[in-house]
Amino acid sequence: MSAPTIRTHHTAAAADAVERARDAATRESWTEAYELLHAHERHPSRGLTADDLSVLADAAWWSGHLDESVTARLRAHAAFLAADDHRGAGLASWWLHYEYAGLGRPAAAAGWLHRARHHLADLPDCPEQSFLAWTDAEEAEAHGDHAAALAAVHRMTGLALASGSPDLLALSRQAESRVLLAAGRRAEGLARLDDAMCAVTAGELSGMFTGWLYCLALTQCMEAADFARAVEWTNAAMEWCAPPWTGRPPPDGGPDGPAAARNPGNPASLPMTVPSGENPFRGVCRAHRVEVLDLLGAWALAEAEARQACREVPVDCLESAAAAYYAAGDVQRRQGRLDAAAVSYGHAHELGRIPQPGLALLRLAQGRADAAVAGVELALACRGAPDHDVLGRARLLAARTEVALAVRDVTGAAGAAAELDALAGDGAGAVPLLRALADTAVGSVALARKGSDALLPLRRALAGWLELRVPYEAAQVRMLLAAADRAAGDEEGARLELGAARAAFERLGAVPDARRAAALLTGGSRRRLPGGLTAREAEVLRLVAEGGTNKDIARALVISEHTVARHLNNIFAKLGVGSRASATAYAYAHGLV
């Protein structure tokens, strides 16, 4: 074969590889597109067009090659610029801004956002400007300017409607939802989010926007404490992520059209088949699922999913891995696996998440009450106003109530419970998950004050948790109700609540709580007390664990401080401990508190 024939053959083969890569991108078969273009790049016989380089960037991102994605996108930008295509250059610049922000390079991200504005600012209205409007809305919202954010969203919606892009229209609905929720217009915000998610669950969007909207919506639902929507859409997201991920068949037409993620103005773009293992959204959606499974009490599955999420999340989504580690820590803490929980919280902290209030509750379980108080108070001070993450602040306030009561700071607990009560709302405006948290906290404070008004909020709390199908918190409330029933002289009611709580804790694997419920059911009989403690020594140890001094204990038990000291010496000797802190840790570990 002559040399010219060989060159012609190579050129034809290269052209065929690029055409097949374009076809794979149209079908959103990203690994196939990446492998074809990557092979072509090693032995290029002809240069790639700007659109081909954009395909390579998208394919590299979906295949987990983030550095190559950025490199290809930089080359695409240069090619668009050389062709005097400012729309293409502007969109490439915006995606570079987005990718650099995800990779933790804010200066580079800001520079490329500036370039995107420069390329697109003076053009007639076009779909690419929707991304700038989306960014404008985010920036305005970050500064608390709801009016400016809403104006930017409305501009985005107008551009999306004019383009005929279902992707951009759904994204604009999600953005409007976020702004409305931040402005306190909850019903309107959730309605907009439902509108956006209809397009997602109906399979009307490209793969990029489907995954993107699942991530955004799941975060919104958890932050807004809308547990029912979080459950529904988490299940839908994981079904979409599960291999093999399939959508509708490819549309008619040639392979030359750029992918929907790069050409949002193409209304013919449809979701296609994506091979197993080629969905970078899987780890992010799984991390959200861990939080839902934790609340639903599916702890073994939640912990397994957390480990899997940490293996799957892309390097530009490490906050999702941090959330998964944190949720795993919560499961391990409730199971009594305190060392494992400490490790999980430590991993979450390494990845940039403040592991509160879980870490504070862990310290409380370890008998380190001072550390628990300091941790949760600092987290509350750092978080400030509720802002977007209503559930995050609510959980901190609930933990602040619990920790304050453990150290007998009833005033501090009452303040936290009151703020939580206001955050939850009342009547038709109440948020069910927040309302259950608030009723639990209010009832706990009333019980600590030995008032007769603890039963009503605690029963409301139990009904709320049961309706939400959140078993651990429901069982915790039953423990409080048992104490309230006993205080009211209803021993039979107390035993019923304790029995139900014990059964729930045992099903969940919440070993310390199950042990505590069992101890209360048996009435703390002497033969069942751990460490050979007498009933009086157990009483002293409980008061020590609650932060009481010798004088406090003597006053509570109507005995002398000398007798308290003698009991403490006996307790230390029987348990083999040498300090009040160690004795407190023992008391928590053995369900005596």
Side-chain angles (χ1 to χ4, degrees):
M1 184 179 292
S2 65
T5 304
I6 294 173
R7 283 196 299 272
T8 302
H9 173 72
H10 285 173
T11 301
D16 180 60
V18 173
E19 291 298 328
R20 285 187 287 127
R22 291 173 180 171
D23 176 67
T26 302
R27 291 181 284 107
E28 295 193 347
S29 183
W30 296 112
T31 295
E32 181 185 351
Y34 171 76
E35 289 173 351
L36 287 166
L37 290 174
H38 191 61
H40 173 81
E41 284 283 275
R42 286 198 298 268
H43 305 288
S45 54
R46 70 183 180 98
L48 295 178
T49 67
D51 280 342
D52 291 336
L53 288 167
S54 296
V55 169
L56 177 58
D58 293 340
W61 184 86
W62 278 93
S63 304
H65 306 283
L66 299 187
D67 289 342
E68 292 182 52
S69 174
V70 171
T71 300
R73 192 95 54 198
L74 289 167
R75 292 171 60 198
H77 172 266
F80 281 124
L81 200 57
D84 201 30
D85 181 350
H86 283 276
R87 283 180 59 180
L91 188 57
S93 298
W94 189 90
W95 279 114
L96 283 165
H97 146 72
Y98 190 80
E99 289 186 88
Y100 275 125
L103 292 169
R105 296 185 57 185
W112 282 104
L113 179 60
H114 178 76
R115 281 201 175 189
R117 296 189 192 283
H118 172 73
H119 286 306
L120 299 173
D122 296 329
L123 296 179
D125 286 354
C126 58
E128 292 79 5
Q129 292 167 347
S130 295
F131 292 95
L132 291 180
W134 190 73
T135 304
D136 290 341
E138 279 205 324
E139 290 180 348
E141 198 54 51
H143 291 93
D145 190 344
H146 301 311
L150 204 55
V153 165
H154 288 161
R155 170 165 168 73
M156 181 182 180
T157 301
L159 290 166
L161 288 169
S163 73
S165 167
D167 284 342
L168 289 178
L169 186 58
L171 186 63
S172 72
R173 297 293 189 228
Q174 180 278 328
E176 187 175 7
S177 166
R178 185 186 68 243
V179 173
L180 291 170
L181 286 170
R185 296 161 64 179
R186 184 180 179 88
E188 293 175 78
L190 292 175
R192 293 294 187 281
L193 189 57
D194 288 345
D195 188 359
M197 295 308 292
C198 279
V200 173
T201 55
E204 297 171 0
L205 310 184
S206 67
M208 176 66 186
F209 280 79
T210 296
W212 200 4
L213 281 161
Y214 269 130
C215 290
L216 294 170
L218 290 171
T219 300
Q220 274 182 268
C221 288
M222 290 305 292
E223 290 179 349
D226 194 317
F227 188 55
R229 281 181 172 84
V231 171
E232 181 177 348
W233 288 334
T234 299
N235 291 336
M238 289 310 300
E239 183 178 346
W240 173 77
C241 286
W245 177 45
T246 57
R248 289 184 284 172
D252 294 333
D256 292 335
R262 292 178 290 102
N263 185 4
N266 178 10
S269 301
L270 299 174
M272 309 306 166
T273 301
V274 173
S276 172
E278 193 186 307
N279 191 336
F281 291 106
R282 184 178 294 120
V284 179
C285 291
R286 197 184 303 277
H288 287 298
R289 189 180 185 220
V290 172
E291 296 182 75
V292 171
L293 290 171
D294 175 26
L295 281 169
L296 291 175
W299 289 353
L301 181 56
E303 192 172 359
E305 291 282 86
R307 287 194 296 269
Q308 186 67 18
C310 293
R311 288 192 289 267
E312 291 176 346
V313 291
V315 296
D316 59 342
C317 294
L318 291 182
E319 68 275 9
S320 296
Y325 274 122
Y326 177 83
D330 277 353
V331 170
Q332 292 156 347
R333 170 175 55 80
R334 291 168 179 153
Q335 291 175 328
R337 298 158 54 202
L338 303 188
D339 290 342
V343 171
S344 293
Y345 289 142
H347 286 319
H349 184 264
E350 288 169 5
L351 292 173
R353 176 174 180 137
I354 298 175
Q356 295 293 2
L359 184 59
L361 296 174
L362 172 65
R363 296 303 179 223
L364 191 62
Q366 293 171 327
R368 298 171 56 185
D370 290 346
V373 171
V376 76
E377 286 188 347
L378 182 59
L380 275 168
C382 290
R383 186 173 293 269
D387 198 45
H388 299 305
D389 190 3
V390 179
L391 182 57
R393 184 164 186 86
R395 282 173 161 165
L396 283 171
L397 290 168
R400 175 70 180 95
T401 305
E402 183 176 346
V403 169
L405 290 175
V407 297
R408 296 189 174 186
D409 177 13
V410 179
T411 302
E419 183 180 343
L420 181 52
D421 189 45
L423 197 62
D426 285 310
V431 182
L433 183 57
L434 300 185
R435 190 67 261 160
L437 278 170
D439 286 336
T440 303
V442 170
S444 299
V445 172
L447 186 61
R449 286 174 167 166
K450 305 189 187 307
S452 59
D453 53 350
L455 282 170
L456 181 58
L458 289 176
R459 284 176 177 152
R460 279 203 312 263
L462 178 60
W465 291 123
L466 291 174
E467 185 175 349
L468 289 166
R469 299 184 182 180
V470 178
Y472 180 78
E473 279 73 9
Q476 290 279 44
V477 172
R478 288 190 186 278
M479 298 287 283
L480 296 170
L481 272 170
D485 285 339
R486 277 184 171 163
D490 184 3
E491 185 62 32
E492 182 179 5
R495 295 184 67 79
L496 286 172
E497 297 293 0
L498 288 170
R502 178 184 181 180
F505 288 140
E506 288 175 346
R507 283 194 301 271
L508 290 165
V511 176
D513 293 294
R515 189 184 296 125
R516 183 162 59 100
L520 290 170
L521 266 172
T522 60
S525 62
R526 180 172 179 174
R527 67 184 179 85
R528 292 180 179 270
L529 289 172
L533 297 174
T534 67
R536 177 52 65 122
E537 287 166 351
E539 284 184 290
V540 171
L541 180 55
R542 288 189 192 103
L543 293 171
V544 167
E546 290 174 3
T549 65
N550 284 13
K551 181 180 290 186
D552 295 331
I553 297 168
R555 187 182 303 114
L557 300 180
V558 197
I559 58 178
S560 69
E561 289 186 51
H562 175 76
T563 302
V564 173
R566 178 168 55 79
H567 283 313
L568 281 175
N569 286 334
N570 291 338
I571 291 167
F572 287 0
K574 288 180 178 182
L575 303 184
V577 300
S579 68
R580 297 170 85 95
S582 298
T584 297
Y586 183 96
Y588 274 98
H590 291 81
L592 292 173
V593 181

